[in-house]
Amino acid sequence: MKTLLGLTVANVKSLVRDRAALFWTIFFPIMFVFLFGWIFGGGGDTRISVGFVDQDGTAVSASLRQAFAAVPLLTLQDGTLDAEKAAMQHGDVSAVIVIPKGLQAALVQTRSGHPASVAIQLYGDPSQNQTTQVVQGAVAQVANGFNLEAQGGSAILTVSRESLQSTNLSNVAYLVPSILAMALMQLGVFAAIPLVQQREKGILKRIGATPLPRWKLVGSNILLRLMVAVVDAVLILGIGIVFFNVQIVGSLPASAGVVLLGATTFLAIGFMLASFLKTEEQATGVVQVVQIPMMFLSGIFFSFDFLPGFLQTVARLMPLTYLGDAMRQVMVNGTQVAPLGVDLAVLTGWLVVCLAISARSFRWE
Amino acid sequence: MTQSGEPVIRVADLRKCYGEVKAVDGVSFEVARGEVFGMLGPNGAGKTTTIEVLEGLRAPDSGTVTVFGLDVVHHPEAIKQRIGVQLQSVSLYPRLTVTELLDLFGSFFSHHLPTKQLIDAVDLGDRAKARSMNLSGGQQQRLSIALALVNDPELVFLDEPTTGLDPQARRSLWDLIKGLQEKGKSVMLTTHYMEEATELCDRVAIMDHGHILEMGSVPDLIGRRFKERAVFFDSAPKLPVDQLAGLAGVTRAAREDGQTVLYSKDVPGTIGALLSTADGLNVEPHNLGIRQATLEDVFLDLTGRALRD
């Protein structure tokens, strides 16, 4: 145990003193959290998809729809109330605006001297406060405009707010677990580089000439990476919670379990890569070839529903797709790519296969 | 050289192939306790493969290999506790310091020497806190030897310990290695520097193409092949080689690198005869000198090529 710990400490020191490695394993994912947090969290320059439900179905409600469509921030998606609420729960829209029946009637009544009013219902997700406020502001503006134009300021339209938990693919709550998944992927895949380096430099061989059992050498590498995984998880989730108001709704043990399974799976992939790579240069190149497509295709930054069919097929083969999905399901109740059980099974499958290949093919020199 | 009891290394008919290549092809030798034994040969001779089999890093294809009387295939862990290993050109965890590396390697053994003592033994006191990547070549080799001594081993393997070092760093390492023998350790080293083998080794095995060609102490190896010493000189005009070959004590006369070389069993007689012959022809020999044959000559004679090809 003491030797295992000593070796792990040696590995930690090597990592901490290697600025490039430190950047990739810790600062790079953090950079992503901030970058995407700012882009999707606070930004006013992204359009927000909003469900539009017209229950009035009159010329007046149609003109109101035009007014909403003219708001540059919003993209309207028409449908029935049930359909749009479902869409919001699936993350396809961020909010739902409902124009109730009786709008035209209320206008006619008001004009004939009997003031009447109807309330626009706005379904927003309180956990995505910024988006909801943007939509609410837009709705209030449109309602005011309508009231002014219609009858000199008399309030025909009011706004009532309803809460509805949603998952929005373009928001930080979706991104934070995704970025954590990406960080774990990189952590594991990048582990191939120091392994190849240590083999190329003869360090593995030199240690092989001491009585140290090999499992301890491997074990210390795994321990190091799992420790970094925990650090990554704490930092990334912490930043999400503190800076971007992300609410982690899942259970802590389940989240930790998925983090560890993901880290171990990608570590096994790293070990497998190290089994076949001979030089450090090769390793650096191949690791990028493996990690970059996964980063962009696995639904980490955007739902892969947007991808063309064949790329979706590719994405469905990638372990990161399932880690990201599992992470979002467990942490923020995200929409599913696959049921959680399938995610975990796929990850475990990758883990077992890569471990078996590594055990057969890993060379110490 | 003190030789007593069971040899620390015993190798009988060791063979090891890499695919088609027979790296080691039927090698047998023994190393006595307290002996410094050297394997001399060009790159690719099979030295490193042999030493790595002894260190338990490679399995032999066939043959019997024992260290401390233990079979290397069946008892590698027990052997590794008692040997010290320095591999050819290893850079160790570049970002760890000298002290950290020695502490770490010490922890791999059931018993180990204090780090401070090791650092002093290899004279790295002022670099104790330096990262290994920042050490000079000679300092790295010294660290590498300190790491080999961390478990106070009975037998130390040094694979080309001075390759790539400047002459001064090489000399200081030689002193270090001689010190090991004085402490009663057995040493097996490989080298392709014949001066190194001459300077350090009690016995030398000359290896080429996976075979041991000749084995013995350096004076023995030279004496076995070269009974004569060489008398060499320049002259203008050149004296006829045929005539010189008939001088007293001369077994062979030749021109080498522009010099005339006489191999002689009776150096004073040869020089006397040479001077009077030259005088008779009215020629004066310049740069007259005598030299002993060297390991290099032995190697050349054995293989027909120079060591550092």
Side-chain angles (χ1 to χ4, degrees):
Chain A
M1 199 58 210
K2 234 176 92 184
T3 50
L4 184 61
L5 223 67
L7 252 180
T8 307
V9 169
N11 281 326
V12 170
K13 283 177 179 165
S14 291
L15 174 69
V16 171
R17 291 171 189 176
D18 181 351
R19 297 220 177 108
L22 206 59
F23 172 81
W24 283 105
T25 45
I26 295 182
F27 295 109
F28 184 71
I30 288 178
M31 211 175 76
F32 264 75
V33 177
F34 278 110
L35 201 64
F36 284 88
W38 285 321
I39 292 175
F40 294 120
D45 49 6
T46 42
R47 290 173 78 87
I48 300 167
S49 279
V50 172
F52 191 83
V53 182
D54 182 357
Q55 292 177 334
D56 195 39
T58 59
V60 177
S61 65
S63 74
L64 196 57
R65 188 192 181 283
Q66 277 185 349
F68 276 113
V71 177
L73 281 175
L74 304 183
T75 308
L76 300 187
Q77 179 188 313
D78 297 290
T80 65
L81 180 57
D82 286 343
E84 291 312 310
K85 277 166 84 171
M88 185 170 161
Q89 275 162 331
H90 279 102
D92 295 337
V93 298
S94 306
V96 179
I97 297 168
V98 183
I99 309 300
K101 206 165 174 49
L103 171 67
Q104 186 166 312
L107 179 66
V108 171
Q109 265 187 295
T110 305
R111 281 187 173 156
S112 60
H114 305 281
S117 73
V118 290
I120 295 178
Q121 289 163 287
L122 169 62
Y123 290 86
D125 182 347
S127 74
Q128 292 163 30
N129 207 16
Q130 280 167 317
T131 309
T132 309
Q133 279 182 0
V134 168
V135 178
Q136 201 181 342
V139 172
Q141 218 179 336
V142 170
N144 273 339
F146 178 87
N147 289 340
L148 278 171
E149 202 176 310
Q151 195 56 45
S154 155
I156 299 170
L157 269 182
T158 59
V159 180
S160 80
R161 262 191 77 169
E162 314 276 338
S163 281
L164 185 65
Q165 186 82 39
S166 83
T167 7
N168 184 336
L169 62 90
S170 65
N171 79 28
V172 193
Y174 174 98
L175 275 164
V176 165
S178 301
I179 289 173
L180 179 53
M182 177 198 81
L184 297 180
M185 178 272 285
Q186 287 176 335
L187 182 67
V189 174
F190 275 89
I193 296 175
L195 279 172
V196 171
Q197 214 173 36
Q198 288 181 9
R199 177 173 50 212
E200 206 185 358
K201 290 193 165 143
I203 297 175
L204 295 183
K205 185 168 153 187
R206 177 63 186 85
I207 291 179
T210 72
L212 182 83
R214 279 182 171 164
W215 71 264
K216 287 193 180 174
L217 191 56
V218 176
S220 76
N221 269 298
I222 294 174
L223 236 115
L224 164 77
R225 299 279 152 178
L226 292 185
M227 280 160 56
V228 178
V230 171
V231 171
D232 272 345
V234 168
L235 283 175
I236 290 171
L237 295 179
I239 290 171
I241 292 166
V242 172
F243 290 89
F244 300 106
N245 246 336
V246 174
Q247 288 180 338
I248 304 299
V249 296
S251 82
L252 189 65
S255 304
V258 174
V259 166
L260 289 185
L261 174 64
T264 318
T265 300
F266 281 100
L267 250 172
I269 294 176
F271 271 85
M272 184 189 68
L273 290 176
S275 304
F276 296 111
L277 299 171
K278 292 202 168 55
T279 66
E280 195 185 334
E281 286 74 21
Q282 248 181 22
T284 322
V286 169
V287 158
Q288 297 296 357
V289 168
V290 169
Q291 72 113 359
I292 289 176
M294 269 205 275
M295 205 161 97
F296 289 109
L297 296 182
S298 298
I300 291 299
F301 301 120
F302 48 86
S303 162
F304 71 57
D305 294 338
F306 295 136
L307 297 174
F310 76 99
L311 279 182
Q312 277 193 34
T313 312
V314 173
R316 284 199 179 271
L317 295 173
M318 293 177 164
L320 185 57
T321 304
Y322 300 93
L323 178 59
D325 190 47
M327 211 88 99
R328 289 187 296 268
Q329 286 192 45
V330 167
M331 293 181 180
V332 295
N333 269 337
T335 44
Q336 319 185 334
V337 172
L340 187 59
V342 173
D343 290 336
L344 300 183
V346 171
L347 289 173
T348 311
W350 272 92
L351 172 64
V352 170
V353 169
C354 292
L355 272 187
I357 295 176
S358 308
R360 276 180 59 97
S361 316
F362 193 81
R363 296 281 170 266
W364 298 87
E365 54 178 284
Chain B
M1 178 167 72
T2 54
Q3 299 189 9
S4 60
E6 180 79 0
V8 286
I9 295 176
R10 183 173 272 159
V11 176
D13 200 28
L14 169 64
R15 287 168 203 276
K16 176 79 187 173
C17 294
Y18 301 117
E20 296 282 288
V21 184
K22 291 175 179 167
V24 178
D25 190 14
V27 158
S28 305
F29 64 93
E30 289 182 358
V31 177
R33 191 166 289 278
E35 189 178 22
V36 176
F37 181 80
M39 293 201 117
L40 179 70
N43 292 330
K47 307 185 300 273
T48 297
T49 301
T50 305
I51 214 168
E52 287 184 355
V53 169
L54 286 162
E55 290 161 350
L57 290 171
R58 285 173 200 285
D61 290 346
S62 67
T64 318
V65 181
T66 61
V67 175
F68 311 125
L70 301 166
D71 189 293
V72 289
V73 179
H74 298 112
H75 303 99
E77 301 312 314
I79 293 171
K80 285 172 183 177
Q81 286 285 0
R82 294 165 64 188
I83 60 171
V85 170
Q86 188 229 18
L87 298 177
Q88 223 178 94
S89 58
V90 176
S91 53
L92 284 146
Y93 291 101
R95 290 182 175 78
L96 295 192
T97 68
V98 170
T99 306
E100 286 168 344
L101 277 168
L102 287 166
D103 286 343
L104 177 65
F105 271 70
S107 75
F108 298 162
F109 294 89
S110 52
H111 133 96
H112 61 92
L113 295 175
T115 296
K116 172 96 178 54
Q117 183 185 332
L118 290 162
I119 288 176
D120 291 342
V122 298
D123 200 20
L124 279 176
D126 51 337
R127 304 293 282 155
K129 292 201 171 8
R131 294 184 185 177
S132 72
M133 64 200 275
N134 297 329
L135 299 178
S136 73
Q139 289 168 339
Q140 276 187 8
Q141 283 306 63
R142 288 214 295 263
L143 168 59
S144 172
I145 288 182
L147 289 168
L149 300 178
V150 82
N151 56 332
D152 195 17
E154 298 160 52
L155 168 63
V156 183
F157 292 98
L158 306 170
D159 198 0
E160 303 202 355
T162 67
T163 297
L165 297 187
D166 60 64
Q168 201 190 341
R170 177 168 302 150
R171 290 246 157 235
S172 97
L173 263 179
W174 286 355
D175 291 339
L176 196 61
I177 295 166
K178 284 179 199 164
L180 297 181
Q181 186 177 29
E182 282 158 22
K183 290 191 192 105
K185 300 184 190 308
S186 315
V187 178
M188 173 165 173
L189 62 87
T190 70
T191 181
H192 53 238
Y193 299 117
M194 54 138 195
E195 316 120 80
E196 187 159 292
T198 309
E199 182 86 12
L200 296 176
C201 299
D202 298 316
R203 281 189 312 132
V204 172
I206 295 179
M207 249 191 124
D208 196 26
H209 297 308
H211 298 276
I212 290 180
L213 302 178
E214 196 83 73
M215 189 158 49
S217 72
V218 173
D220 252 16
L221 288 178
I222 295 168
R224 243 180 259 168
R225 303 219 149 238
F226 300 100
K227 306 259 181 264
E228 320 89 338
R229 283 185 289 171
V231 175
F232 57 91
F233 61 94
D234 296 329
S235 67
K238 302 276 186 224
L239 293 169
V241 170
D242 292 351
Q243 190 179 348
L244 294 173
L247 295 179
V250 172
T251 54
R252 191 158 65 89
R255 290 210 207 285
E256 293 173 7
D257 297 335
Q259 283 192 318
T260 308
V261 183
L262 307 176
Y263 292 92
S264 167
K265 284 189 278 197
D266 171 16
V267 171
T270 301
I271 290 177
L274 168 65
L275 290 177
S276 60
T277 307
D279 204 35
L281 293 168
N282 212 13
V283 173
E284 195 184 343
H286 305 284
N287 304 327
L288 181 65
I290 308 160
R291 69 172 167 83
Q292 186 86 48
T294 62
L295 266 184
E296 187 89 54
D297 298 313
V298 174
F299 189 81
L300 195 70
D301 196 52
L302 281 168
T303 66
R305 57 204 169 79
L307 244 175
R308 268 166 272 182
D309 273 350

